[in-house]
Coordinates of all heavy atoms in Angstrom, one line a residue:
M168 N 98.2 124.3 98.7 CA 98.5 122.9 98.9 C 98.5 122.6 100.4 O 99.2 123.2 101.1 CB 99.8 122.6 98.2 CG 100.1 121.1 98.4 SD 101.7 120.8 97.5 CE 102.5 119.9 98.8
T169 N 97.8 121.6 100.8 CA 97.8 121.1 102.2 C 98.9 120.1 102.4 O 99.3 119.4 101.4 CB 96.4 120.6 102.6 OG1 96.1 119.4 101.8 CG2 95.4 121.6 102.5
V170 N 99.3 119.9 103.6 CA 100.3 119.0 103.9 C 99.6 117.7 104.4 O 99.1 117.6 105.5 CB 101.2 119.5 105.1 CG1 102.2 118.5 105.4 CG2 101.8 120.8 104.7
G171 N 99.5 116.7 103.5 CA 99.0 115.4 103.7 C 97.8 115.3 104.7 O 96.7 115.7 104.5
W172 N 98.2 114.9 105.9 CA 97.2 114.7 107.0 C 96.7 116.0 107.6 O 95.8 116.0 108.5 CB 97.7 113.7 108.0 CG 99.1 114.0 108.5 CD1 100.2 113.6 107.9 CD2 99.4 114.8 109.6 NE1 101.3 114.1 108.6 CE2 100.9 114.8 109.7 CE3 98.7 115.5 110.5 CZ2 101.6 115.5 110.6 CZ3 99.4 116.2 111.5 CH2 100.8 116.2 111.5
A173 N 97.2 117.1 107.2 CA 96.8 118.4 107.8 C 95.4 118.7 107.5 O 94.7 119.4 108.2 CB 97.7 119.5 107.4
S174 N 94.8 118.2 106.4 CA 93.5 118.4 106.0 C 92.5 117.8 107.0 O 91.3 118.1 107.1 CB 93.2 117.9 104.6 OG 93.4 116.6 104.5
W175 N 93.0 116.8 107.8 CA 92.1 116.1 108.8 C 92.2 116.7 110.2 O 91.4 116.4 111.0 CB 92.4 114.7 108.8 CG 92.2 114.0 107.5 CD1 93.1 113.7 106.6 CD2 90.9 113.6 106.9 NE1 92.6 113.1 105.5 CE2 91.2 113.1 105.7 CE3 89.6 113.7 107.4 CZ2 90.2 112.6 104.9 CZ3 88.6 113.3 106.5 CH2 88.9 112.7 105.3
L176 N 93.2 117.6 110.4 CA 93.4 118.1 111.8 C 92.3 119.2 112.1 O 92.1 120.0 111.2 CB 94.8 118.7 111.9 CG 95.9 117.7 111.9 CD1 97.2 118.4 112.0 CD2 95.8 116.7 113.0
V177 N 91.8 119.2 113.3 CA 90.9 120.3 113.7 C 91.6 121.1 114.8 O 92.2 120.6 115.7 CB 89.6 119.6 114.3 CG1 88.7 120.7 114.8 CG2 88.9 118.8 113.3
C178 N 91.5 122.4 114.6 CA 92.1 123.4 115.5 C 91.3 123.5 116.8 O 90.1 123.6 116.8 CB 92.2 124.7 114.8 SG 92.9 126.0 115.8
A179 N 92.0 123.5 117.9 CA 91.4 123.6 119.2 C 91.0 125.1 119.5 O 90.1 125.3 120.3 CB 92.3 123.1 120.3
N180 N 91.6 126.0 118.7 CA 91.3 127.4 119.0 C 90.0 127.9 118.3 O 89.2 128.5 118.9 CB 92.5 128.2 118.5 CG 92.4 129.7 118.9 OD1 92.1 130.0 120.0 ND2 92.8 130.5 118.0
C181 N 89.9 127.5 117.0 CA 88.7 128.0 116.2 C 87.8 126.9 115.8 O 86.8 127.2 115.1 CB 89.2 128.8 115.0 SG 90.0 127.7 113.7
A182 N 88.1 125.6 116.0 CA 87.3 124.5 115.7 C 87.1 124.3 114.2 O 86.2 123.6 113.7 CB 85.9 124.5 116.4
G183 N 88.0 124.9 113.4 CA 88.0 124.7 112.0 C 89.2 123.8 111.6 O 90.0 123.4 112.4
R184 N 89.2 123.4 110.3 CA 90.3 122.6 109.8 C 91.6 123.4 109.8 O 91.5 124.6 109.4 CB 90.0 122.0 108.4 CG 88.8 121.0 108.4 CD 88.7 120.4 107.0 NE 88.6 121.5 106.0 CZ 88.5 121.2 104.7 NH1 88.3 120.0 104.3 NH2 88.5 122.2 103.8
V185 N 92.7 122.8 110.2 CA 93.9 123.5 110.2 C 94.3 123.9 108.7 O 94.9 125.0 108.5 CB 95.0 122.6 110.8 CG1 96.4 123.2 110.6 CG2 94.7 122.3 112.3
S186 N 94.0 123.1 107.8 CA 94.3 123.4 106.4 C 93.6 124.6 105.9 O 94.0 125.2 104.9 CB 94.0 122.2 105.5 OG 92.6 121.9 105.5
D187 N 92.5 125.0 106.5 CA 91.8 126.2 106.1 C 92.5 127.5 106.6 O 92.4 128.6 105.9 CB 90.4 126.3 106.6 CG 89.5 125.2 106.0 OD1 89.8 124.7 104.9 OD2 88.4 124.9 106.6
G188 N 93.3 127.4 107.7 CA 94.0 128.5 108.2 C 93.2 129.7 108.6 O 93.5 130.8 108.4
R189 N 92.1 129.4 109.4 CA 91.2 130.4 109.8 C 91.8 131.4 110.8 O 91.5 132.6 110.8 CB 89.9 129.8 110.5 CG 89.0 129.1 109.5 CD 87.8 128.6 110.2 NE 87.0 127.8 109.4 CZ 85.9 127.2 109.7 NH1 85.5 127.3 111.0 NH2 85.2 126.4 108.9
C190 N 92.5 130.9 111.8 CA 93.1 131.7 112.8 C 94.6 131.7 112.8 O 95.2 130.9 112.0 CB 92.6 131.3 114.2 SG 93.2 129.7 114.7
A191 N 95.2 132.5 113.7 CA 96.7 132.5 113.7 C 97.3 131.2 114.1 O 98.4 130.8 113.7 CB 97.1 133.6 114.7
V192 N 96.6 130.5 115.0 CA 97.1 129.2 115.5 C 97.1 128.2 114.3 O 98.1 127.5 114.1 CB 96.2 128.7 116.6 CG1 96.7 127.3 117.0 CG2 96.3 129.6 117.8
C193 N 96.1 128.2 113.5 CA 96.0 127.3 112.3 C 97.1 127.6 111.4 O 97.8 126.7 110.9 CB 94.7 127.5 111.6 SG 93.2 126.9 112.5
R194 N 97.3 128.9 111.1 CA 98.3 129.3 110.1 C 99.7 129.0 110.6 O 100.5 128.5 109.8 CB 98.1 130.8 109.8 CG 96.9 131.1 109.0 CD 96.8 132.5 108.5 NE 96.7 133.5 109.6 CZ 95.6 133.9 110.2 NH1 94.4 133.4 109.8 NH2 95.6 134.7 111.2
D195 N 99.9 129.2 111.9 CA 101.2 128.9 112.4 C 101.5 127.4 112.4 O 102.6 127.0 112.0 CB 101.3 129.3 113.9 CG 102.6 129.0 114.5 OD1 103.7 129.5 113.9 OD2 102.7 128.4 115.6
R196 N 100.6 126.6 112.7 CA 100.8 125.1 112.7 C 101.0 124.6 111.3 O 101.8 123.7 111.0 CB 99.6 124.4 113.4 CG 99.7 122.9 113.4 CD 100.9 122.6 114.3 NE 101.2 121.1 114.2 CZ 102.4 120.6 114.4 NH1 103.4 121.3 114.6 NH2 102.5 119.3 114.2
L197 N 100.2 125.1 110.3 CA 100.3 124.7 108.9 C 101.7 125.1 108.4 O 102.3 124.3 107.7 CB 99.2 125.4 108.1 CG 99.0 124.9 106.7 CD1 98.7 123.4 106.7 CD2 97.8 125.6 106.1
A198 N 102.2 126.3 108.7 CA 103.5 126.7 108.3 C 104.6 125.8 108.9 O 105.5 125.5 108.3 CB 103.7 128.2 108.7
R199 N 104.4 125.5 110.2 CA 105.4 124.6 110.9 C 105.4 123.2 110.2 O 106.5 122.7 110.0 CB 105.0 124.5 112.3 CG 106.0 123.8 113.1 CD 105.6 123.8 114.6 NE 106.5 123.0 115.4 CZ 106.3 122.6 116.6 NH1 105.2 123.0 117.2 NH2 107.2 121.9 117.2
M200 N 104.3 122.7 109.9 CA 104.2 121.4 109.3 C 104.9 121.4 107.9 O 105.6 120.5 107.5 CB 102.8 120.8 109.2 CG 102.3 120.4 110.5 SD 100.7 119.5 110.3 CE 99.6 120.8 109.8
R201 N 104.7 122.5 107.2 CA 105.3 122.6 105.8 C 106.8 122.7 106.0 O 107.6 122.2 105.1 CB 104.8 123.8 105.1 CG 103.4 123.6 104.6 CD 102.8 124.7 103.8 NE 101.5 124.4 103.3 CZ 100.6 125.3 103.1 NH1 100.8 126.6 103.3 NH2 99.4 124.9 102.6
R202 N 107.3 123.5 107.0 CA 108.8 123.6 107.2 C 109.4 122.2 107.6 O 110.5 121.9 107.2 CB 109.1 124.6 108.3 CG 109.1 126.0 107.9 CD 109.8 126.9 109.0 NE 109.3 126.6 110.3 CZ 108.3 127.1 111.0 NH1 107.6 128.1 110.3 NH2 107.9 126.8 112.2
E203 N 108.7 121.5 108.4 CA 109.2 120.2 108.9 C 109.1 119.1 108.0 O 109.7 118.0 108.2 CB 108.5 119.9 110.3 CG 108.9 120.8 111.4 CD 108.1 120.6 112.7 OE1 107.2 119.7 112.6 OE2 108.4 121.2 113.7
S204 N 108.3 119.2 106.9 CA 108.2 118.1 106.0 C 109.5 118.0 105.2 O 109.8 118.9 104.4 CB 107.0 118.3 105.1 OG 107.1 119.4 104.3
G205 N 110.1 116.9 105.3 CA 111.4 116.7 104.7 C 111.2 116.1 103.3 O 110.1 115.9 102.8
P206 N 112.4 115.7 102.7 CA 112.3 115.0 101.4 C 111.7 113.7 101.4 O 111.2 113.2 100.3 CB 113.8 115.0 101.0 CG 114.5 114.9 102.3 CD 113.7 115.8 103.2
L207 N 111.6 113.0 102.5 CA 111.0 111.7 102.5 C 109.5 111.7 103.0 O 109.1 111.0 103.9 CB 111.8 110.7 103.5 CG 113.2 110.4 102.9 CD1 113.9 109.5 103.9 CD2 113.1 109.7 101.6
T208 N 108.8 112.5 102.3 CA 107.3 112.5 102.6 C 106.5 112.1 101.4 O 107.0 112.2 100.3 CB 106.9 114.0 103.0 OG1 107.2 114.8 101.9 CG2 107.6 114.4 104.3
G209 N 105.4 111.6 101.7 CA 104.5 111.2 100.6 C 105.0 110.0 99.8 O 105.4 109.0 100.3
P210 N 105.1 110.2 98.4 CA 105.5 109.2 97.5 C 106.9 108.7 97.8 O 107.3 107.6 97.6 CB 105.4 109.8 96.1 CG 104.4 111.0 96.3 CD 104.6 111.4 97.7
M211 N 107.8 109.7 98.2 CA 109.2 109.3 98.4 C 109.3 108.3 99.6 O 110.1 107.4 99.6 CB 110.1 110.5 98.7 CG 110.3 111.3 97.5 SD 111.2 110.4 96.2 CE 112.8 110.2 97.0
M212 N 108.5 108.5 100.6 CA 108.5 107.6 101.8 C 108.0 106.2 101.3 O 108.6 105.2 101.7 CB 107.6 108.1 102.9 CG 107.6 107.3 104.1 SD 109.2 107.2 104.9 CE 109.2 108.6 105.9
L213 N 107.0 106.1 100.5 CA 106.5 104.9 100.0 C 107.6 104.2 99.2 O 107.8 103.0 99.3 CB 105.3 105.1 99.2 CG 104.6 103.8 98.6 CD1 104.2 102.9 99.7 CD2 103.4 104.2 97.7
F214 N 108.3 104.9 98.3 CA 109.3 104.4 97.5 C 110.5 103.8 98.4 O 111.0 102.7 98.1 CB 109.9 105.4 96.5 CG 111.0 104.9 95.7 CD1 110.8 104.0 94.7 CD2 112.3 105.4 96.0 CE1 111.9 103.6 93.9 CE2 113.4 104.9 95.2 CZ 113.2 104.0 94.2
A215 N 110.8 104.6 99.4 CA 111.9 104.1 100.3 C 111.5 102.8 101.1 O 112.3 101.9 101.3 CB 112.2 105.2 101.3
L216 N 110.2 102.7 101.4 CA 109.7 101.5 102.1 C 109.8 100.3 101.2 O 110.2 99.3 101.6 CB 108.3 101.8 102.6 CG 107.7 100.6 103.3 CD1 108.4 100.3 104.6 CD2 106.2 101.0 103.7
V217 N 109.3 100.5 100.0 CA 109.4 99.4 99.0 C 110.8 99.0 98.7 O 111.1 97.8 98.6 CB 108.6 99.8 97.7 CG1 108.9 98.8 96.6 CG2 107.1 100.0 97.9
L218 N 111.7 99.9 98.6 CA 113.1 99.6 98.3 C 113.7 98.9 99.5 O 114.4 97.9 99.3 CB 113.9 100.9 98.1 CG 115.3 100.8 97.6 CD1 115.3 100.0 96.3 CD2 115.9 102.1 97.5
A219 N 113.4 99.2 100.7 CA 113.9 98.5 101.9 C 113.3 97.1 102.0 O 114.1 96.2 102.3 CB 113.5 99.3 103.2
L220 N 112.1 96.9 101.7 CA 111.5 95.6 101.7 C 112.1 94.7 100.6 O 112.3 93.5 100.8 CB 110.0 95.7 101.5 CG 109.2 96.2 102.7 CD1 107.7 96.4 102.3 CD2 109.3 95.3 103.9
F221 N 112.4 95.3 99.5 CA 113.0 94.5 98.4 C 114.4 94.1 98.8 O 114.9 93.0 98.6 CB 113.1 95.4 97.1 CG 113.7 94.7 96.0 CD1 113.1 93.7 95.3 CD2 115.0 95.1 95.5 CE1 113.7 93.0 94.2 CE2 115.6 94.5 94.4 CZ 114.9 93.4 93.8
A222 N 115.2 95.0 99.5 CA 116.5 94.7 100.0 C 116.5 93.5 101.0 O 117.3 92.6 101.0 CB 117.2 95.9 100.5
V223 N 115.5 93.6 101.9 CA 115.4 92.5 102.9 C 115.0 91.2 102.2 O 115.5 90.1 102.6 CB 114.3 92.9 103.9 CG1 113.9 91.7 104.8 CG2 114.8 94.0 104.8
A224 N 114.1 91.2 101.2 CA 113.8 90.0 100.5 C 115.0 89.4 99.8 O 115.1 88.2 99.7 CB 112.7 90.3 99.5
L225 N 115.8 90.3 99.2 CA 117.0 89.8 98.6 C 118.0 89.1 99.5 O 118.6 88.0 99.3 CB 117.8 90.9 97.8 CG 117.2 91.3 96.5 CD1 118.0 92.5 96.0 CD2 117.1 90.2 95.5
V226 N 118.1 89.7 100.7 CA 119.0 89.1 101.7 C 118.4 87.8 102.2 O 119.2 86.8 102.4 CB 119.2 90.1 102.9 CG1 119.9 89.4 104.1 CG2 120.0 91.3 102.4
V227 N 117.2 87.7 102.4 CA 116.5 86.5 102.9 C 116.6 85.4 101.9 O 116.8 84.2 102.2 CB 115.1 86.7 103.4 CG1 114.3 85.5 103.7 CG2 115.1 87.6 104.6
A228 N 116.4 85.7 100.6 CA 116.3 84.7 99.5 C 117.7 84.3 99.1 O 117.8 83.3 98.3 CB 115.5 85.3 98.4
R229 N 118.7 84.9 99.5 CA 120.1 84.6 99.1 C 120.5 83.1 99.6 O 120.3 82.8 100.7 CB 121.1 85.6 99.6 CG 122.5 85.4 99.1 CD 123.4 86.5 99.6 NE 123.6 86.2 101.1 CZ 124.2 86.9 101.9 NH1 124.6 88.1 101.5 NH2 124.3 86.6 103.2
P230 N 121.0 82.3 98.7 CA 121.4 81.0 99.1 C 122.6 81.0 100.0 O 123.5 81.9 99.9 CB 121.8 80.3 97.8 CG 121.8 81.3 96.7 CD 121.2 82.5 97.2
A231 N 122.6 80.1 100.9 CA 123.7 80.1 102.0 C 125.0 79.6 101.5 O 125.3 79.0 100.6 CB 123.2 79.2 103.2

């Protein structure tokens, strides 16, 4: 499984995609991105954004 946008990154060391993990630099970066990806990635981030926008809309639409 690749980490979201990692499939688009190109390694400066081997000129391959980072998600392929061709060299040690690619594998290290891919492992680091996987470690750093927290619970609010992908669909959870989208859900949090929609929830925040809904909360703002409720505050704005509240009668004075």
Side-chain angles (χ1 to χ4, degrees):
M168 180 179 132
T169 61
V170 180
W172 47 272
S174 61
W175 298 102
L176 292 178
V177 176
C178 178
N180 191 43
C181 69
R184 292 186 312 181
V185 171
S186 60
D187 291 342
R189 289 185 187 177
C190 67
V192 175
C193 292
R194 290 187 295 273
D195 180 56
R196 183 62 188 153
L197 193 56
R199 184 176 177 192
M200 285 189 294
R201 285 184 177 148
R202 274 194 318 269
E203 292 174 355
S204 64
L207 290 180
T208 57
M211 287 300 293
M212 183 63 85
L213 181 61
F214 177 72
L216 179 63
V217 168
L218 188 62
L220 289 174
F221 182 69
V223 169
L225 284 176
V226 170
V227 170
R229 188 179 68 189

